[in-house]
């Protein structure tokens, strides 16, 4: 039910309406703002209005008392009004205070959107002193599936198609909710390049280079996002952007794939990323981190040095050159452990010669990310350059986690018995039986701006059956054989994918979510 706007200064009719409203309110012992109907207007009411606004279905909640600025609509401003009222920065909600009489004039609140925040000077590490926005939509799903212990953790919001900008509560709804929560860090993934996910199938996107995808990427995707993020209402937020997971790493190692080869040319990944960095870089409060794969991909010496060139040059080619980014992010949506505690006691030779590590220099993300940062700084990037590591699903706890290093046997016996990474092959990336990892944390180690949760736990990596219905939101998403629980991994001879059954990439998967919870490390 919507109440009409009762404020028409000087008109007898409005006074009468207000009188009736107040009379009705007091008749039922109720005041505007008291949506929980508990006789008080407090922060819980603000929260309930915000929850209703973002599409959750809060209880108790009576919408009849939610239009707290009497502008005829119920939106996030009403929640904000209640919060202001609660902390005493305003002393009345429209027509709500019991001291009012019908003859008093009620002044309308002029704003229809949250008040503009105050910009702060740029900081080096946006996570220091940061309060992360908790994605209300993800949080509700997590809570409903037994995830109360992690449901208040800030995750990234993925803008994974043009429609995501406005569908549901849309980007604006999330930003408004962030303001309402009192957050000052808003985390978003930019993920819609033409020929997206060129080497795999699970997350193929809506845009194609051959169909003018770059033009659409710029005008229908990046520009509207930047316009929304640039709204003065959001300038108090530090907006952290993760830029295009897996894209540039695919240009380092997968150019024999025709889709990736095309993405390496005009209208492809480099052009798109430079455009995104340039446009996002026009806003004073954005902090962009370009995706850098993970140690199990770019950790071999030849890949390592090539990635420095390819990805380093892509960033240097953006307008602000080495200052176009805050840094890089590794392990996005992957499962590689942050650290391999027991392999620290195993000799490097044994590790490199094992089947699992195949001569890769790096067995875990933290040393890889720190080394990459040093290499970038040596390559001309500033010392403020920082790294993020996505730790959302790289915990590897649970009953199968080793508790000490195995010290005797073959190289494989030592390594396989000691590693916490329980995958059948290190290349496996789809719906693995890992666990929730380190919780987001600012400045956890030298050179690391934060451990973050880029991939929201519970969201699928890809559909597990070839016999699938297309995802109506993203019909380009396909079945990738690496997501088949009974199939062979394409990364090693004779090993299974290790995937669990799952819906399309990005869709909620209760089975996987609960497995990740059970195998959390540190335990929950
Ligand atoms: C999917 C996206 C999703 C993201 C986060 C990606 O694999 O393609 O649609 O938003 O994962 O779950």
């Amino acid at each position: 039910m919507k109440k009409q706007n009762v404020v028409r200064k000087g008109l007898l009719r409005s006074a009468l309406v207000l009188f009736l409203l107040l009379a009705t309110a007091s008749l039922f012992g109720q005041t505007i703002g008291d949506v929980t109907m508990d006789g008080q207007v407090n922060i819980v009411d603000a929260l309930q209005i915000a929850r209703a606004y973002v599409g959750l279905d809060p209880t108790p909640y009576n919408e009849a008392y939610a239009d707290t600025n009497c502008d005829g609509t119920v939106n996030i401003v009403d929640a904000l009004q209640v919060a202001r009222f609660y902390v005493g920065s305003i002393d009345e909600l429209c027509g709500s205070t019991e001291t009012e009489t019908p003859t008093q004039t009620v002044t309308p609140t002029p704003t229809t959107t949250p008040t503009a925040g105050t910009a702060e000077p740029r900081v080096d590490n946006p996570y220091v002193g940061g309060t992360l926005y908790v994605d209300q939509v993800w949080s509700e799903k997590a809570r409903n599936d037994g995830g109360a212990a992690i449901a208040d953790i800030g995750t990234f919001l993925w803008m994974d198609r043009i429609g995501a900008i406005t569908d549901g509560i849309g980007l604006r709804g999330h930003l408004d909710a962030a303001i309402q929560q009192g957050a000052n860090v808003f985390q978003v993934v930019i993920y819609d390049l033409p020929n997206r996910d060129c080497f795999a199938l699970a997350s193929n996107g809506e845009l194609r280079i051959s169909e003018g995808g770059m033009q659409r990427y710029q005008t229908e995707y990046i520009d509207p996002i930047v316009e929304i993020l640039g709204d003065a209402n959001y300038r108090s937020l530090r907006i952290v952007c993760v830029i295009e997971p897996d894209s540039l790493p695919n240009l380092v190692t997968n150019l024999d794939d025709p889709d990736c080869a095309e993405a390496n040319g005009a209208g492809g990944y480099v052009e798109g990323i430079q455009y995104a960095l340039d446009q996002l870089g026009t806003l004073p409060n954005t902090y962009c981190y370009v995706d850098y794969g993970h140690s199990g991909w770019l950790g071999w010496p030849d890949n390592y040095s090539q990635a420095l060139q390819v990805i380093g040059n892509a960033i240097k080619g953006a307008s602000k050159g080495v200052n176009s980014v805050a840094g890089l992010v590794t392990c996005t949506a992957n499962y590689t452990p942050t650290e391999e505690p027991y392999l620290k006691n195993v000799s490097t030779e044994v590790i490199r010669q094992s089947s699992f590590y195949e001569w890769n220099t790096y067995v875990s993300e933290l040393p890889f990310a720190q080394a990459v940062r040093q290499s970038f700084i040596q390559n001309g990037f500033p010392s403020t350059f920082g790294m993020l590591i996505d730790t959302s699903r790289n915990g590897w706890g649970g009953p199968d986690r080793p508790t000490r290093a195995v010290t005797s046997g073959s190289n494989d016996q030592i390594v396989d018995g000691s590693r916490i990474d329980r995958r059948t092959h290190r290349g496996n990336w789809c719906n693995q039986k890992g666990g929730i990892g380190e919780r987001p944390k600012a400045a956890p180690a030298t050179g690391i701006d934060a451990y973050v949760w880029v991939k929201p736990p519970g969201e699928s990596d890809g559909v597990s059956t070839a016999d699938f219905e297309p995802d109506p939101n993203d019909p380009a998403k396909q079945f990738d054989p690496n997501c088949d629980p009974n199939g062979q991994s394409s990364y090693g001879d004779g090993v299974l994918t290790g995937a669990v059954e799952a819906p399309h990439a990005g869709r909620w998967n209760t089975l996987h979510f609960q497995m990740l919870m059970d195998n959390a490390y540190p335990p929950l």
Side-chain angles (χ1 to χ4, degrees):
M1 185 184 94
K2 299 262 161 61
K3 278 189 302 302
Q4 51 185 302
N5 184 347
V6 294
V7 186
R8 264 193 232 134
K9 212 171 166 182
L11 286 185
L12 186 61
R13 206 178 70 177
S14 63
L16 192 65
V17 172
L18 178 60
F19 174 78
L20 286 174
L21 236 167
L22 287 172
T24 316
S26 58
L27 200 66
F28 296 102
Q30 209 56 51
T31 51
I32 290 173
D34 181 16
V35 294
T36 60
M37 319 277 286
D38 65 352
Q40 298 166 31
V41 177
N42 60 25
I43 202 70
V44 182
D45 297 292
L47 212 58
Q48 295 297 77
I49 298 173
R51 285 190 176 126
Y53 175 67
V54 299
L56 305 176
D57 196 14
T59 48
Y61 176 68
N62 188 340
E63 204 202 12
Y65 298 98
D67 181 12
T68 63
N69 63 356
C70 288
D71 68 350
T73 55
V74 175
N75 58 25
I76 199 72
V77 188
D78 297 296
L80 210 56
Q81 285 294 95
V82 175
R84 286 189 187 125
F85 178 71
Y86 177 64
V87 300
S89 59
I90 54 172
D91 48 13
E92 63 176 16
L93 299 170
C94 58
S96 71
T97 49
E98 313 231 297
T99 50
E100 276 177 351
T101 66
T103 52
Q104 280 180 317
T105 309
V106 182
T107 311
T109 309
T111 50
T112 51
T113 49
T115 323
T118 322
E120 62 171 354
R122 269 190 91 71
V123 292
D124 171 8
N125 178 352
Y127 287 91
V128 170
T131 303
L132 309 185
Y133 163 57
V134 179
D135 177 342
Q136 294 296 284
V137 179
W138 173 81
S139 175
E140 187 75 3
K141 291 181 197 158
R143 204 179 296 280
N144 287 342
D145 264 347
I150 60 166
D152 291 326
I153 290 180
T155 53
F156 274 71
L157 178 72
W158 288 60
M159 288 289 107
D160 61 351
R161 59 201 168 89
I162 292 164
I165 302 170
T166 47
D167 279 5
I169 66 168
L171 180 56
R172 268 190 197 281
H174 283 283
L175 287 156
D176 290 343
I179 300 286
Q180 166 61 29
Q181 281 177 13
N184 68 344
V185 176
F186 187 85
Q187 309 177 106
V188 61
V189 180
I190 300 297
Y191 190 53
D192 200 27
L193 277 173
N195 289 28
R196 188 179 73 190
D197 205 17
C198 64
F199 191 64
L201 300 169
S203 284
N204 283 177
E206 63 192 339
L207 303 176
R208 304 285 312 166
I209 295 167
S210 56
E211 295 165 2
M214 181 49 58
Q215 175 72 16
R216 294 193 61 200
Y217 181 74
Q218 297 183 351
T219 57
E220 295 176 43
Y221 178 72
I222 294 294
D223 293 353
I225 288 176
V226 172
E227 193 191 332
I228 293 170
L229 295 177
D231 190 318
N233 292 314
Y234 311 132
R235 67 180 167 215
S236 64
L237 297 171
R238 301 167 182 174
I239 296 167
V240 174
C241 321
V242 154
I243 303 294
E244 297 291 355
D246 287 0
S247 57
L248 296 174
N250 270 321
L251 302 189
V252 178
T253 63
N254 294 322
L255 291 182
D256 48 357
D257 181 293
D259 247 23
C260 297
E262 191 183 29
N264 195 34
Y269 289 175
V270 172
E271 198 176 317
I273 285 175
Q274 290 175 346
Y275 187 81
L277 290 177
D278 287 352
Q279 299 311 310
L280 288 162
T282 61
L283 307 178
N285 53 335
T286 49
Y287 297 83
C288 290
Y289 295 83
V290 167
D291 187 74
Y292 206 80
H294 54 89
S295 60
W297 185 353
L298 301 179
W300 281 278
D302 45 352
N303 290 351
Y304 187 94
S305 51
Q306 264 221 281
L308 289 183
Q309 294 308 312
V310 171
I311 302 180
N313 288 344
I315 296 170
K316 285 179 178 173
S319 301
K320 294 186 192 161
V322 296
N323 296 313
S324 303
V325 295
L328 305 169
V329 52
T330 80
C331 208
T332 300
N334 202 265
Y335 297 85
T336 310
T338 308
E339 292 185 86
E340 275 288 356
Y342 308 119
L343 291 180
K344 288 177 181 163
N345 302 327
V346 175
S347 83
T348 310
E349 274 63 47
V350 170
I351 294 173
R352 298 221 173 122
Q353 291 173 35
S354 68
S355 315
F356 193 71
Y357 292 110
E358 302 175 315
W359 297 95
N360 191 319
T361 315
Y362 296 97
V363 301
S364 61
E365 287 306 282
L366 180 56
F368 173 71
Q370 288 175 319
V372 168
R373 173 173 177 268
Q374 282 307 328
S375 302
F376 266 68
I377 291 172
Q378 277 157 22
N379 254 336
F381 284 80
S383 60
T384 50
F385 196 80
M387 305 294 293
L388 302 180
I389 299 176
D390 181 3
T391 58
S392 69
R393 309 183 301 180
N394 71 353
W396 296 106
D400 297 337
R401 182 185 171 94
T403 53
R404 65 179 72 83
V406 169
T407 50
S408 62
S410 66
N411 291 344
D412 281 351
Q413 282 166 337
I414 292 172
V415 163
D416 292 344
S418 305
R419 60 181 163 92
I420 60 165
D421 186 340
R422 304 315 297 160
R423 285 179 290 187
T424 54
H425 193 279
R426 214 179 169 208
N428 291 346
W429 51 267
C430 196
N431 301 317
Q432 299 296 293
K433 299 175 184 114
I436 299 291
E438 292 265 5
R439 293 10 144 208
K441 194 173 177 187
T446 308
I448 310 297
D449 280 358
Y451 293 153
V452 289
W453 284 16
V454 185
K455 179 77 182 182
E459 294 186 9
S460 170
D461 296 314
V463 69
S464 58
T465 167
D467 180 23
F468 65 88
E469 291 286 321
D471 187 311
N473 281 349
D474 230 340
K477 284 177 178 168
Q478 303 292 318
F479 163 69
D480 189 296
N482 287 294
C483 301
D484 178 355
N486 305 310
Q488 302 275 316
S489 163
S490 64
Y491 301 95
D493 288 335
V495 290
L496 292 173
T497 63
V500 299
E501 280 186 21
H504 274 292
R507 295 276 173 187
W508 189 255
N509 187 5
T510 296
L511 170 75
H512 198 222
F513 181 73
Q514 288 172 351
M515 186 174 284
L516 292 169
M517 293 283 295
D518 290 346
N519 293 336
Y521 200 92
L524 296 167

